[in-house]
Amino acid sequence: MKKHHNNQRNRGRSTKRSQEKPLPLPEQTTYEGRISVNFRGVGYLRTELLDEDIEIPQESMNTALHGDTVRVDLLPKRSDRNRIQGEVTKVMERGRTEFVGTLIKNNGTVTCKADDARVYRDIYLDKDEVRDIEPGTKIFVRLNDWHDPKQNPEGKLLKVLGKQGEHDVEMNSIVLEHGFRVEFPKAVQEEAEDIQQKAHENIQNEAKTRRDFRGVTTFTIDPWDAKDFDDALSYKKLENDNVEIGIHIADVSHYVTPDSELDKEAKKRGFSVYLVDRTIPMLPEELSNDVCSLNEGNDKLTFSAVFELDASGNVQDSWFGRTIINSDKRFTYEEAQKMIDAGEGQFFEELHTMNEIAKKTSERRSKEGAVDFETDEVEIELDENMDPVKIYKKERIDTQKLIEEYMLLANREVARYVAKKQEKTQGSFLYRVHDQPDPEKIDSLTIFTDALGYDLERLGNGSITSQALNDLMAKIEGEPSESIIKVAAIKSMAKAVYSTKNIGHFGLAFEYYTHFTSPIRRYADLAVHRILGKYVAGKKISPEEFAELKGVAERTAQQELDSMHAERDSVKYKQVEYMADHIGETFEGVISGISQNGIFIAEESTGAEGMVRLRDVGDDYFELDESNFAIVGRKTGQRFQLGDEVAIKVMSANLDQKQLDYKLVAGNKAPTDTKK
């Protein structure tokens, strides 16, 4: 659930600053960095050298766009403005130059209005290029050099996407808008097809050199609509009553070799992107759905982490290496859960034992400080026309948690194995790390939770423990504000990132952690496989390989954000499309954000978020109570606070902007006191 109120860090500071005299400008007056732009065309530059962002008015943007790297000079202090403002003096590097938009023809002028509202100027196009294209058509354009802020930018048509509002057009628009491509280059496709044709012979030759698990009970457990299966579990009961659990991961690194065309394209994409109706794979389907996928009944090459576990899930022994498997069964989460619940069926004993161990390891992780940040996942059902017919919050079942526990185990133990090797060899590796929370962000989170009536315990130095966060999660379980507080808590945390320097993983409470289990859909995992293979074989890591790992860590940060935003946009589009068929109907919702312009409300069952403007809230004059995340009626004292349950009517739906307008209706549930 996305909150739309202001950044907590700036909010807390601006509230305090407004009560003080304006501060003088810093001695340093020029700064460089990556600019963020809001939907009003106002820019913000964050720098560690200042306590607050530099605000850049639209008239001072000087052609800078969201994501550009810029140089900014501070503007003189204005008596009517309390915050630091600046002016872009140079665009050093464009963050992106390609945009999706809608073709507009008006009095002989042809422009592209970008879907991204942060692109605050329309882009002029050559009339001859688009002569035969109807206005309102979705198009993909490239921005030409733009240096004059007094003129609109010019661009070149790259692709005609189709009629605005059509499902495929809108989904493809989202993919392109976030920098991904659907089609693979010809050389990449040819390389994949060649590997597919030779796969059977290749596997038979490899079988002679690998540890053979084809006689061991093995299965996959995945979502019902999964097409690529990159992990499988094997199970064997040992004579000492322990069990041997194998976590077998598709050996993508055997097929995708460094500097091949496939490798270059996978590196460029970084991730597979999962939209509501399709997957934009990192690798061509010949590999992702066939050669590398651990399909039932087929011999497959894998890279495995094999563990001897006791009944409590403690690791007694471990082995890492290349293997060959043959999956006995492709389970969906629901099928496997049905067998566990029924107490019988194919592979019941294996599933039951693995599930019991997974529950114990999950409980132990929680006691050791792992934080439960689990939030609701929205499931969208589409009909044959790709129209949304049902949206609901999906319940996480035990079999999903089972798979998660064994993937966490493999990721942790692979990282631990390599870390121990590194101590002797001074080698390198790619870790998945999660830093301690920023005290300032925890300040804001504490203010936020206190306003909603929940105490967040902190240490004397202002820091926070994972146990305190878990205590908070326990208090809010089942409450209307649960999702909102969880999202706020997640936003207050440092972001998990890839790094060649291990600092541990705060959220999971692991000293060592990496991503090993999804090389079909994450390039970082493919890089981890290559390095792990070197360590297993006793080989040294070259300086070139170390440099490559650092490059992967730096590059994937933005790729990960882009894929996440594309997935969220596809969900948001379908939520708005669904609610567009329910204009005038009344629903229950929870206030998910507060701003000076209005309150944001997430509909209870679908999670579809919309806005109620302040001017439309009752007959009173409502004002923002920023410190308590509420709006309060000046005459009546009526109060609407973050987390309140309310009744809403759907007033309008804007598919172009993915926006919903709601109206509060009589008989709302807003409590007068939210203190628990």
Side-chain angles (χ1 to χ4, degrees):
M1 191 182 298
K2 183 179 177 184
K3 294 207 315 297
H4 291 258
H5 55 68
N6 295 337
N7 180 282
Q8 298 291 340
R9 176 184 172 203
N10 292 333
R11 166 176 287 176
R13 184 171 289 116
S14 62
T15 302
K16 181 180 179 183
R17 180 71 51 80
S18 64
Q19 300 168 355
E20 301 171 352
K21 294 181 179 179
L23 296 176
L25 284 175
E27 290 184 10
Q28 181 175 329
T29 58
T30 300
Y31 299 86
E32 295 179 358
R34 200 160 175 252
I35 194 171
S36 297
V37 180
N38 67 18
F39 299 119
R40 299 187 304 276
V42 177
Y44 296 90
L45 185 72
R46 176 171 293 183
T47 169
E48 294 181 355
L49 300 173
L50 297 175
D51 285 340
E52 64 178 282
D53 300 347
I54 302 169
E55 183 181 77
I56 300 136
Q58 188 178 139
E59 63 270 18
S60 301
M61 291 286 287
N62 288 326
T63 79
L65 295 169
H66 180 78
D68 290 351
T69 301
V70 298
R71 181 176 297 146
V72 171
D73 283 353
L74 298 187
L75 292 171
K77 261 305 191 187
R78 286 171 41 183
S79 59
D80 61 334
R81 295 289 297 180
N82 207 14
R83 69 176 302 150
I84 297 174
Q85 291 191 314
E87 175 184 30
V88 174
T89 55
K90 184 177 182 181
V91 176
M92 303 169 70
E93 184 180 0
R94 291 286 183 196
R96 55 185 291 210
T97 57
E98 296 177 349
F99 301 92
V100 172
T102 303
L103 183 67
I104 296 173
K105 295 184 177 181
N106 186 21
N107 296 326
T109 301
V110 182
T111 60
C112 171
K113 183 174 181 59
D115 282 2
D116 187 345
R118 295 171 300 188
V119 181
Y120 50 89
R121 295 283 191 89
D122 290 351
I123 302 169
Y124 282 117
L125 299 173
D126 187 320
K127 287 185 286 188
D128 293 333
E129 272 191 339
V130 296
R131 186 180 302 278
D132 299 325
I133 305 174
E134 291 293 319
T137 301
K138 276 287 186 76
I139 55 176
F140 188 46
V141 303
R142 178 183 294 127
L143 188 73
N144 296 337
D145 289 341
W146 183 31
H147 301 292
D148 186 354
K150 296 178 181 178
Q151 300 290 329
N152 277 35
E154 296 181 356
K156 178 176 178 57
L157 178 69
L158 296 178
K159 189 175 184 179
V160 177
L161 301 177
K163 188 177 179 181
Q164 187 179 25
E166 290 185 352
H167 174 80
D168 277 344
V169 172
E170 296 298 339
M171 292 300 110
N172 286 331
S173 295
I174 288 171
V175 172
L176 291 169
E177 179 66 24
H178 291 285
F180 295 96
R181 298 292 179 270
V182 177
E183 301 85 4
F184 286 90
K186 184 179 178 182
V188 174
Q189 196 64 47
E190 288 176 349
E191 203 169 87
E193 291 169 2
D194 184 58
I195 289 172
Q196 186 182 42
Q197 290 171 6
K198 299 174 181 176
H200 179 72
E201 181 183 353
N202 189 307
I203 289 171
Q204 298 314 307
N205 291 334
E206 273 290 307
K208 303 167 189 175
T209 64
R210 293 178 175 239
R211 183 172 171 180
D212 196 339
F213 276 81
R214 287 176 291 184
V216 181
T217 298
T218 304
F219 43 76
T220 60
I221 310 177
D222 290 278
W224 66 270
D225 57 348
K227 293 181 175 64
D228 54 359
F229 310 106
D230 52 11
D231 59 82
L233 299 176
S234 68
Y235 175 96
K236 183 165 70 173
K237 185 80 171 179
L238 301 178
E239 291 182 1
N240 61 2
D241 288 332
N242 287 344
V243 293
E244 179 188 87
I245 304 293
I247 294 104
H248 307 284
I249 309 301
D251 191 0
V252 178
S253 63
H254 175 76
Y255 299 103
V256 180
T257 54
D259 297 322
S260 62
E261 294 302 318
L262 278 164
D263 182 57
K264 292 173 186 174
E265 183 67 17
K267 188 185 299 183
K268 190 183 298 182
R269 294 180 179 227
F271 294 84
S272 293
V273 183
Y274 296 88
L275 305 187
V276 292
D277 70 322
R278 70 192 68 189
T279 299
I280 311 302
M282 184 180 77
L283 299 168
E285 290 187 0
E286 287 80 2
L287 269 66
S288 60
N289 292 6
D290 183 19
V291 176
C292 295
S293 184
L294 308 183
N295 301 321
E296 179 183 330
N298 296 325
D299 288 355
K300 295 290 179 177
L301 303 182
T302 46
F303 207 142
S304 303
V306 184
F307 304 104
E308 180 183 338
L309 304 177
D310 64 20
S312 297
N314 297 303
V315 177
Q316 304 300 311
D317 196 12
S318 60
W319 178 90
F320 306 94
R322 288 192 157 89
T323 53
I324 182 169
I325 69 164
N326 189 305
S327 175
D328 296 293
K329 175 70 175 174
R330 180 268 202 257
F331 281 111
T332 65
Y333 288 132
E334 292 76 14
E335 287 170 344
Q337 188 67 52
K338 192 174 181 180
M339 297 212 177
I340 292 173
D341 293 342
E344 59 181 9
Q346 188 180 22
F347 305 127
F348 163 72
E349 181 184 341
E350 291 87 343
L351 287 167
H352 173 73
T353 304
M354 295 170 83
N355 191 44
E356 290 301 304
I357 291 174
K359 286 181 177 180
K360 290 173 182 175
T361 58
S362 175
E363 186 177 328
R364 184 163 60 246
R365 284 196 307 106
S366 181
K367 288 180 179 177
E368 291 172 352
V371 185
D372 176 17
F373 283 135
E374 179 187 324
T375 55
D376 293 325
E377 184 178 347
V378 172
E379 182 79 12
I380 300 177
E381 291 185 11
L382 306 174
D383 64 15
E384 64 276 7
N385 298 317
M386 295 293 120
D387 294 326
V389 293
K390 185 179 180 182
I391 304 179
Y392 56 95
K393 294 175 183 176
K394 190 163 61 174
E395 179 187 359
R396 284 185 80 238
I397 55 181
D398 281 350
T399 47
Q400 289 173 277
K401 298 174 185 177
L402 179 157
I403 290 296
E404 182 179 286
E405 283 303 314
Y406 289 107
M407 297 307 113
L408 289 172
L409 170 65
N411 287 335
R412 183 191 71 200
E413 294 302 316
V414 164
R416 188 198 304 275
Y417 169 82
V418 173
K420 299 305 179 186
K421 290 278 188 181
Q422 279 185 274
E423 291 175 2
K424 300 176 182 178
T425 63
Q426 297 298 307
S428 59
F429 196 52
L430 189 64
Y431 294 95
R432 181 71 168 177
V433 300
H434 187 216
D435 204 352
Q436 297 282 330
D438 182 335
E440 278 196 2
K441 291 185 177 181
I442 295 300
D443 283 344
S444 296
L445 178 63
T446 304
I447 294 169
F448 177 75
T449 55
D450 184 62
L452 296 183
Y454 297 97
D455 292 328
L456 180 58
E457 187 177 342
R458 301 176 67 180
L459 301 176
N461 61 3
S463 64
I464 193 170
T465 65
S466 54
Q467 186 57 53
L469 284 168
N470 273 332
D471 290 343
L472 174 65
M473 299 301 123
K475 291 175 188 174
I476 64 175
E477 186 174 357
E479 296 292 334
S481 57
E482 178 181 1
S483 293
I484 300 164
I485 293 176
K486 280 188 172 180
V487 170
I490 291 169
K491 288 186 175 182
S492 72
M493 298 293 103
K495 292 187 183 302
V497 295
Y498 297 103
S499 174
T500 54
K501 181 181 178 182
N502 182 43
I503 59 170
H505 198 293
F506 174 81
L508 293 173
F510 286 163
E511 184 179 1
Y512 307 103
Y513 193 66
T514 189
H515 273 172
F516 163 75
T517 52
S518 298
I520 287 178
R521 62 184 180 92
R522 290 192 302 232
Y523 190 84
D525 299 53
L526 173 57
V528 164
H529 277 223
R530 288 173 178 162
I531 297 300
L532 178 62
K534 290 265 189 177
Y535 281 112
V536 168
K539 297 179 181 178
K540 290 187 176 181
I541 310 302
S542 69
E544 291 77 18
E545 287 168 320
F546 177 63
E548 168 64 14
L549 284 181
K550 290 188 73 175
V552 171
E554 293 166 2
R555 187 170 55 249
T556 51
Q558 187 59 46
Q559 291 172 328
E560 188 171 17
L561 281 175
D562 290 338
S563 64
M564 180 181 69
H565 289 153
E567 291 164 15
R568 287 180 178 176
D569 278 357
S570 76
V571 170
K572 180 70 174 175
Y573 185 88
K574 287 300 172 184
Q575 286 172 322
V576 174
E577 186 178 12
Y578 177 83
M579 296 304 273
D581 289 333
H582 297 275
I583 302 293
E585 295 182 28
T586 301
F587 297 88
E588 300 296 335
V590 176
I591 296 179
S592 55
I594 303 283
S595 77
Q596 291 181 339
N597 298 319
I599 57 179
F600 294 86
I601 299 167
E603 197 277 322
E604 188 175 338
S605 59
T606 65
E609 197 168 45
M611 183 180 186
V612 177
R613 303 186 188 282
L614 281 192
R615 63 174 180 266
D616 298 327
V617 182
D619 298 327
D620 204 344
Y621 180 82
F622 282 85
E623 297 175 316
L624 178 66
D625 178 359
E626 195 170 23
S627 61
N628 289 305
F629 305 93
I631 60 168
V632 182
R634 183 181 290 178
K635 293 186 299 183
T636 63
Q638 188 178 18
R639 182 185 193 84
F640 294 91
Q641 188 173 28
L642 213 61
D644 285 354
E645 293 178 284
V646 293
I648 51 171
K649 181 183 285 187
V650 184
M651 302 305 293
S652 65
N654 186 327
L655 280 168
D656 293 343
Q657 298 299 321
K658 305 180 186 70
Q659 291 178 352
L660 292 167
D661 283 327
Y662 292 151
K663 181 179 180 180
L664 292 173
V665 299
N668 69 73
K669 297 180 181 179
T672 56
D673 184 3
T674 60
K675 295 291 180 183
K676 306 291 186 296

